[in-house]
Amino acid sequence: MKKGKKIYEGKAKIIYSTSDKDLVIQYFKDDATAFNNQKKSTIEGKGVLNNRISEHILSKLSQIGIKNHLVKRLNMREQVVKLVEIIPIEFIVRNVATGSLTKRLGIEDGTILKEPLIEYCLKDDKLGDPLIAEEHILAFDWASKTEIEKVKKMILRINDFMIGMFGGVGIKLIDFKLEFGRLTSNGKKEVILADEISPDTCRLWDSVTDKKLDKDRFRKDLGDLIPAYTEVAKRLGILHEQSNLSVVNVTKLSSIKRKRK
Ligand code: TMP
């Protein structure tokens, strides 16, 4: 399988075509953005960690029957994924109130929700990904009623699984964002999980100290983002104790190689 042309570039990832029309390569950048691109930076090693963490979580989800786009990780920054037609909705799942929910509705930060809350945002950077109702999705045909019902069922299973997975390693899953896409096979369309699940797209707090182990370290200028993401990877068993420096070393090595070219 050969890597082809860039077909899409988002804020944190690039999608390349491949010699197989059904597969694409998803490349994880080191770029970090927040508040709809108003705050930007490059954090060396972030893409490497997100690639590994997302691969780990999506593989585990496959094992419990959640169909998703991951085929296999190729290298430190790239994975082969199935080409899907992305549904233009960001599905936000919340277990504890924080972030935009507390600002929007005046709910106290840290309030435990009695049930997971699913919110929908239209995936449109120009409009700042506005919050929308399920009725908007149906009114403008962004997804069908059947697709939404299927997605909601998958979301609740994903949430239950991830609460357990992170809970087992001393991390609280506060909230996260998911994206889904339509996969066409044998002329039929099926909705599957796509994009990434990583500390860029989740809020993860240490169970004992409430220390933030996610992109809020960048959003709120808390610093030490790489050590926090590395901590998540280590606790999930992806990186081993002594490999603390290896992510940074590999990133440095690959940038040296790039400069030499
Ligand atoms: P929010 O509180 O800012 O609405 O974010 C809710 C969750 O969704 C949080 O885990 C971060 C994630 N998220 C993204 O992954 N991408 C986004 O563009 C936004 C706004 C949030």
Side-chain angles (χ1 to χ4, degrees):
M1 195 189 59
K2 267 173 52 189
K3 185 169 167 182
K5 277 195 226 132
K6 186 200 286 190
I7 49 179
Y8 173 82
E9 178 156 4
K11 292 188 287 258
K13 296 186 294 294
I14 305 174
I15 303 292
Y16 295 93
S17 64
T18 71
S19 45
D20 183 331
K21 67 174 181 24
D22 298 323
L23 301 176
V24 291
I25 289 173
Q26 176 164 258
Y27 175 96
F28 287 76
K29 302 195 276 186
D30 281 341
D31 297 353
T33 66
F35 315 115
N36 200 21
N37 229 352
Q38 287 174 42
K39 180 170 176 171
K40 285 187 208 176
S41 189
T42 303
I43 304 169
E44 200 176 314
K46 179 175 80 73
V48 173
L49 285 157
N50 283 346
N51 184 21
R52 294 293 296 270
I53 296 170
S54 193
E55 174 205 17
H56 180 84
I57 299 176
L58 267 61
S59 317
K60 295 265 175 215
L61 287 172
S62 268
Q63 288 166 14
I64 60 150
I66 301 290
K67 290 193 182 165
N68 64 66
H69 72 162
L70 179 71
V71 176
K72 65 168 180 177
R73 184 168 62 82
L74 272 183
N75 53 45
M76 294 301 277
R77 286 187 183 274
E78 294 175 322
Q79 40 185 247
V80 181
V81 299
K82 290 177 187 160
L83 176 66
V84 295
E85 175 200 342
I86 289 284
I87 295 175
I89 311 290
E90 296 196 343
F91 296 85
I92 310 284
V93 194
R94 300 182 187 271
N95 297 306
V96 176
T98 193
S100 69
L101 176 68
T102 51
K103 290 199 194 86
R104 198 185 327 124
L105 301 178
I107 310 291
E108 196 185 337
D109 199 87
T111 305
I112 296 170
L113 303 173
K114 57 179 188 289
E115 276 178 36
L117 173 67
I118 302 177
E119 292 179 334
Y120 310 100
C121 293
L122 178 65
K123 207 173 137 60
D124 186 326
D125 283 344
K126 282 196 256 48
L127 299 176
D129 297 343
L131 182 75
I132 51 169
E134 193 172 312
E135 283 76 3
H136 292 103
I137 304 180
L138 298 175
F140 303 111
D141 285 327
W142 290 318
S144 70
K145 182 86 189 156
T146 322
E147 286 174 333
I148 300 174
E149 291 310 319
K150 186 166 179 223
V151 164
K152 279 204 244 176
K153 275 196 189 148
M154 288 169 83
I155 285 178
L156 295 178
R157 280 199 73 209
I158 295 169
N159 187 41
D160 278 349
F161 177 81
M162 286 186 21
I163 288 175
M165 180 187 73
F166 282 117
V169 296
I171 294 174
K172 287 192 271 190
L173 177 63
I174 304 299
D175 58 27
F176 58 105
K177 186 250 330 185
L178 296 174
E179 293 185 27
F180 292 83
R182 299 182 185 100
L183 178 75
T184 311
S185 58
N186 302 327
K188 275 193 188 159
K189 280 191 181 176
E190 182 185 20
V191 176
I192 64 167
L193 176 66
D195 193 50
E196 70 176 288
I197 303 181
S198 71
D200 263 15
T201 62
C202 300
R203 282 201 178 90
L204 304 168
W205 295 359
D206 179 87
S207 303
V208 177
T209 63
D210 277 353
K211 181 180 172 186
K212 293 176 170 60
L213 301 170
D214 57 65
K215 200 170 133 188
D216 269 355
R217 301 210 72 83
F218 169 70
R219 295 190 190 97
K220 295 173 179 261
D221 293 320
L222 300 174
D224 286 342
L225 180 136
I226 294 296
Y229 283 33
T230 304
E231 177 70 25
V232 172
K234 276 187 185 165
R235 290 204 202 174
L236 290 174
I238 303 166
L239 296 179
H240 302 292
E241 278 314 311
Q242 67 276 24
S243 54
N244 195 8
L245 288 170
S246 65
V247 169
V248 173
N249 284 344
V250 168
T251 326
K252 286 208 174 114
L253 268 177
S254 55
S255 70
I256 292 166
K257 271 194 215 149
R258 269 201 301 279
K259 276 178 206 143
R260 279 193 191 139
K261 269 182 197 168

